[in-house]
Amino acid sequence: MTHFQNSPLAAEANAIANALLKNCRADNYAGYDPFDALNSDLFERVGGKVWPLGCVAWLQLHKRSPVNVRPLVAVPKQRNPKGIALIVLGLLERYKYLDDDAELAEAVELGKWLLTQSVDTDAWRHRAWGYHFDWAARAFYVPRGKPNAITTCYVARALYALGQVTSNGVFIEAAIDSGLFLDSLYTNDVGVEYYAYIPGESAFVHNASLWSAALVAEAAVRVGNDDMRDRALRVARQSVSMQRTDGAWIYGTRGHHGFIDGFHTGYNLEALTLLQETTGTAEFSEAIDRGMDYYRQHFFLLDGTVKYYHDRTWPLDTHSVAQAIVTLLKVGGTRNDQFLVERVLSRAKESLYMPAEKRFVYQKGRWVTNRINYLRWTQAWAFYALSLYAAHETNQPEPHHASH
């Protein structure tokens, strides 16, 4: 058992991760989600799903409400593939410093469950994953189970990690196959190259395209497909060419995509970093450095508070905090980044953690706090980030000095 003699904060992070894991286990890793309101049996029985705008309104009502009425409208707690993938990644980080075979076995069982949740390969040709709820947005409507890029990318990352730790080729093969699915999302729209977020939809969202590029490239390298690899690099160049001179990315290309937020910026930077590592190139280093400079300057207050948007602080969001820890450790890695992570952790414990419930709040606004317990969006992300930090402190006590 690791005792964290030289890092009291890592010991604290591990203790909170223990509590989160215990809570998640108590519900067999099922939970509510900010976007699961269309799973309401009541809403479906009254015919609400036939009205597209009604679906969006119903979903947003539940997402924004600080009171959880899901039990009253018959929304069940369920497992979410992306949430389970994050739990798997967290368990594997813990295995690095706890060396606990029971937790590794649990990660393997959750990985096997993920394999059972992939889409019908007869319909989609390859393994892929979607959400366990119907998803209504301004740009599109996605029925339950239809695959999307981000969920597939995170599940693939978890399966690759499982395969590497256990030498189980079944996990690796499934992850490679999902890379082939992601490659099928390739879109060339009047010379603009990207991977679509959802099959059949034309929305260009940078984080989905970049994460897809990273996972397509990994599959391409593993199977020796140079065309796939080159396509992934071209897609990444497209998003890099659209990075602002100050290092920022807006969310996407549609009119309502003009915002800049912290966790999607972190996604972009982490995906580009993984893409470089996979393909053995340094082509994107300058873009990553500019992006990290912008990220550090615009998404943190001096006390370690993580801002949601580049130009305003509220709401405080546990997901934003978790991705900040991941980005600073996996993309940044400087001594100053390490110090910033310590401030972020201390501030998050003070402002977002509920010690009596042993979990994190969803969001804290200037006036209202939403304490609803969301597994995928909140607790799974926090568990992964805390486990990553504890493993980093145990196995990499001395952060490096250069950003790349």
Side-chain angles (χ1 to χ4, degrees), residues 210 239-240 242-250 260-261 264-266 268-269 272 286-299 310:
L210 287 170
S239 282
V240 168
M242 300 167 80
Q243 184 184 27
R244 297 192 333 190
T245 56
D246 62 2
W249 279 277
I250 61 173
I260 303 169
D261 70 75
H264 287 116
T265 300
N268 295 344
L269 293 166
L272 277 173
E286 193 272 338
I288 294 169
D289 287 342
R290 278 193 294 124
M292 278 304 299
D293 287 343
Y294 184 91
Y295 188 71
R296 296 180 185 107
Q297 292 169 18
H298 288 85
F299 291 108
H310 74 295

Side-chain angles (χ1 to χ4, degrees), residues 201-259:
E201 299 289 346
S202 61
F204 178 9
V205 174
H206 290 295
N207 76 91
S209 188
L210 287 170
W211 264 124
S212 295
L215 271 299
V216 168
E218 180 148 9
V221 168
R222 286 176 180 270
V223 301
N225 188 322
D226 290 340
D227 288 341
M228 274 178 62
R229 177 185 179 276
D230 292 345
R231 192 157 44 246
L233 289 170
R234 291 200 310 272
V235 164
R237 290 180 194 122
Q238 184 72 67
S239 282
V240 168
S241 75
M242 300 167 80
Q243 184 184 27
R244 297 192 333 190
T245 56
D246 62 2
W249 279 277
I250 61 173
Y251 176 72
T253 58
R254 295 195 170 178
H256 57 288
H257 289 169
F259 59 90

